[in-house]
Amino acid sequence: KPVFLAGIVFDVTERKEMEMDLAQKNKILQEMSSLDGLTKISNHRTLVEHLKACISDAVRTGSPMSIAIFDIDDFKKVNDTRGHVFGDQVLARVAAIINGSIRGADLAGRYGGEEFMVLFPDTGLEQAAKVSERIRQVIADYAFEEGMRVTVSGGVKQYTGETPAELIHAADIRLYQAKKNGKNQIVF
């Protein structure tokens, strides 16, 4: 039987609310730092970080890994004829089409300007090229406001031991080959 009992009670409700608020704000900041503000898909930095991780996984497991780079054909004309607000809408819609055309394991992002990249882990060149062609076709068939159409060109490259920068450069060379060949096509 206790002879003496003492205690102190603290109300930690306010502190817990502040911690929860801070956690929510940190989550928002993390999303903001990893997503492109306009297109709401991964930004350049996030793409490169994930590319390094995908390459590391491919080396470790021996599984294939591919990337695709897309560029909106003649995008300057869109901005010059319809304005930058319409151009932004085109960028956001193209991003949504790309993101909606890939698997959950894949990652789409805005590489820069009107260029987009898709990372295809556990995917060989032919399958990545097939998905990229499907993306190209969906974009070409999409009617923007007033029936305007845009097309994309793309380059696809499977990882074969290069550095991330070399892999991106190789896909970029294929993209520019697609542009040189007349645009609205995928080169792999």
Side-chain angles (χ1 to χ4, degrees), residues 22-173:
L22 183 61
Q24 180 64 24
K25 287 178 180 173
N26 282 338
K27 183 180 176 186
I28 291 168
L29 285 173
Q30 185 174 0
E31 283 181 14
M32 288 173 61
S33 71
S34 64
L35 296 180
D36 177 66
L38 174 65
T39 61
K40 307 301 183 218
I41 60 175
S42 296
N43 62 21
H44 180 94
R45 183 181 53 79
T46 302
L47 279 171
V48 173
E49 287 174 5
H50 279 265
L51 177 59
K52 290 175 183 175
C54 286
I55 287 173
S56 179
D57 287 347
V59 168
R60 184 176 45 80
T61 63
S63 60
M65 183 269 158
S66 300
I67 68 169
I69 298 180
F70 300 93
D71 184 72
I72 299 175
D73 297 325
D74 303 313
F75 187 69
K76 184 175 179 347
K77 286 183 189 174
V78 173
N79 281 336
D80 289 349
T81 60
R82 301 289 178 96
H84 288 86
V85 171
F86 184 79
D88 287 350
Q89 292 169 353
V90 168
L91 288 170
R93 187 66 201 138
V94 167
I97 290 170
I98 293 170
N99 204 38
S101 300
I102 59 175
R103 306 170 302 182
D106 303 333
L107 180 71
R110 185 173 178 197
Y111 190 68
E114 65 272 7
E115 285 191 341
F116 299 89
M117 183 185 293
V118 178
L119 308 180
F120 297 103
D122 299 316
T123 307
L125 182 63
E126 287 186 28
Q127 184 62 28
K130 183 189 283 187
V131 174
S132 298
E133 175 58 28
R134 186 174 69 238
I135 290 169
R136 184 204 62 77
Q137 189 63 56
V138 171
I139 292 169
D141 291 343
Y142 187 81
F144 291 87
E145 287 180 16
E146 302 168 23
M148 182 175 187
R149 306 253 183 203
V150 299
T151 60
V152 295
S153 297
V156 182
K157 173 71 171 81
Q158 182 174 327
Y159 174 71
T160 56
E162 5 355 46
T163 66
E166 291 167 340
L167 180 60
I168 292 168
H169 182 67
D172 220 20
I173 288 171

